[in-house]
Amino acid sequence: MRVTQSMLSSNMLRNLNTSYNKMAKYQEQLNSGKVINRPSDNPVVAVKGMGYRVDLDKNEQYQRNMGQAHSWLDSTDEALGQAGSVLIRVKELVVQAASDTNTSEDREKISQEITQIKQHLQDLANTKVGENYIFSGTNTNSPLFKADGTIQTATDLTGLKKSIEVNVFDGIKMSINTEGVDLFNDIDTFMGELEDLLTSGASGKEIGDKLGVNSTDGTNQTILGLDSLSENVLAKRAEVGAKQNRVELMENRLQLQEVNVTKLMSKNEDTDYAKTITEMATAESIHQASLSVGAKIIQQTLVDFIR
């Protein structure tokens, strides 16, 4: 086969262009920090990279859900803690009202404080996180107690005892609310009966006999009922505490997953700088050698060709 000057020139230019493209590829990898910069560079790596990014996006959403769970659970725990403290104060007032050392004016003041405590407990039952009522089940737009002081019922609203669940991991949901309608209904009923008794004008002995404060035979039903309410509040707080512990465990799991997925994604597509720089230097050396040899093979002018 006859090799012409044109063939030599064409082959040299094609090889030089290939060399330029190779150096450009290495340069792009060094500049971007990625071994691929478009799916066509390596479809398999690109598909894996998209999968890792989906996992990271989902992880980010789960961590945002964890923040929402913390907000709900912390607010619930705080409200129940205040309710428990208030019930302790109610017990002190019950014992105080049953004493004949108090005048009718003193019992009137106790009655007024009981009324305010009752209203405060209703306010705690209507605790909100943002614009959501946390003790109303899935009816987060409606308060547990109405404006007239009566509690919502199933006939008023559905979903009062339903759970609000958020996704905390792939295929894992967690309830972040606490059912409060039964608890606060029992407390409000007790407070209403106590308020009626204190406003009836009864004497300290009559109040003590009615409440069972003066009993010595273990029939102290009012005080026992109040203790039962306090225990119910503590049980709800224990439930909230268990959920808070689980949220922390899930947060640790999500953080570990984020680290692992990020590591896999980096291994899949990040540039190995030492290797790429070496290959870049090698390609540059080959390119310079090609230019030097080509300059000697290819005649640059007609005079050089004639000579």
Side-chain angles (χ1 to χ4, degrees):
M1 182 181 70
R2 180 170 177 268
V3 178
T4 65
Q5 190 69 25
S6 176
M7 293 173 60
L8 291 175
S9 300
S10 298
N11 288 335
M12 185 193 75
L13 292 174
R14 184 176 62 253
N15 292 331
L16 287 176
N17 187 53
T18 301
S19 180
Y20 272 123
N21 289 335
K22 185 178 293 186
M23 288 192 296
K25 176 183 176 181
Y26 292 140
Q27 186 65 46
E28 190 175 28
Q29 291 178 1
L30 292 173
N31 290 336
S32 66
K34 303 293 181 181
V35 294
I36 64 168
N37 291 281
R38 57 192 65 82
S40 59
D41 290 342
N42 191 324
V44 175
V45 172
V47 170
K48 285 185 178 180
M50 287 189 290
Y52 293 139
R53 282 172 174 78
V54 169
D55 290 340
L56 287 177
D57 288 342
K58 290 164 69 174
N59 184 285
E60 184 179 353
Q61 180 60 56
Y62 294 146
Q63 293 197 41
R64 284 196 294 267
N65 292 348
M66 291 292 98
Q68 181 185 10
H70 270 302
S71 179
W72 275 68
L73 293 173
D74 290 346
S75 297
T76 302
D77 183 62
E78 182 180 351
L80 292 175
Q82 292 185 33
S85 299
V86 167
L87 290 178
I88 293 175
R89 176 57 180 165
V90 171
K91 186 174 182 178
E92 294 173 353
L93 292 174
V94 166
V95 175
Q96 184 178 348
S99 174
D100 276 329
T101 60
N102 294 304
T103 64
S104 59
E105 290 80 6
D106 293 332
R107 280 188 285 275
E108 176 64 23
K109 293 176 182 177
I110 293 174
S111 175
Q112 292 176 359
E113 185 173 352
I114 289 294
T115 299
Q116 293 301 314
I117 289 176
K118 179 184 176 184
Q119 181 60 53
H120 179 62
L121 287 166
Q122 291 182 0
D123 293 339
L124 290 175
N126 290 342
T127 299
K128 297 172 69 177
V129 172
E131 296 299 321
N132 299 311
Y133 293 94
I134 62 177
F135 291 113
S136 298
T138 55
N139 304 111
T140 56
N141 293 327
S142 302
L144 193 58
F145 281 90
K146 306 175 188 177
D148 60 2
T150 59
I151 196 168
Q152 300 279 7
T153 63
T155 57
D156 300 318
L157 297 171
T158 58
L160 283 174
K161 296 184 180 182
K162 291 183 179 180
S163 297
I164 297 175
E165 296 181 333
V166 296
N167 292 316
V168 295
F169 209 78
D170 282 337
I172 300 177
K173 293 183 178 181
M174 179 179 174
S175 172
I176 62 173
N177 70 317
T178 298
E179 184 268 305
V181 60
D182 290 338
L183 175 66
F184 284 103
N185 184 46
D186 292 343
I187 292 176
D188 191 67
T189 300
F190 174 87
M191 294 298 295
E193 294 174 352
L194 180 59
E195 185 180 25
D196 292 341
L197 179 61
L198 292 174
T199 56
S200 65
S203 67
K205 184 177 184 306
E206 291 173 337
I207 292 174
D209 292 339
K210 182 70 174 178
L211 297 179
V213 176
N214 300 329
S215 65
T216 57
D217 57 358
T219 58
N220 192 343
Q221 296 301 318
T222 299
I223 298 298
L224 289 176
L226 185 56
D227 289 341
S228 177
L229 291 176
S230 297
E231 290 175 0
N232 291 340
V233 171
L234 288 175
K236 290 292 184 181
R237 290 195 73 185
E239 178 184 334
V240 172
K243 290 181 179 180
Q244 288 174 317
N245 290 337
R246 186 183 176 193
V247 167
E248 292 178 359
L249 292 173
M250 292 305 302
E251 279 185 320
N252 292 335
R253 184 178 179 184
L254 287 171
Q255 290 171 0
L256 289 174
Q257 188 201 38
E258 182 181 11
V259 171
N260 291 335
V261 173
T262 302
K263 186 185 298 183
L264 289 172
M265 186 172 69
S266 175
K267 185 177 180 180
N268 179 64
E269 61 189 45
D270 283 359
T271 298
D272 184 343
Y273 281 94
K275 178 181 178 182
T276 304
I277 290 173
T278 302
E279 291 176 343
M280 175 74 177
T282 301
E284 188 175 4
S285 298
I286 294 173
H287 181 73
Q288 292 296 334
S290 298
L291 287 175
S292 177
V293 172
K296 295 179 180 178
I297 294 176
I298 304 300
Q299 302 297 322
Q300 308 214 351
T301 68
L302 182 60
V303 174
D304 290 332
F305 176 74
I306 295 174
R307 187 176 60 188

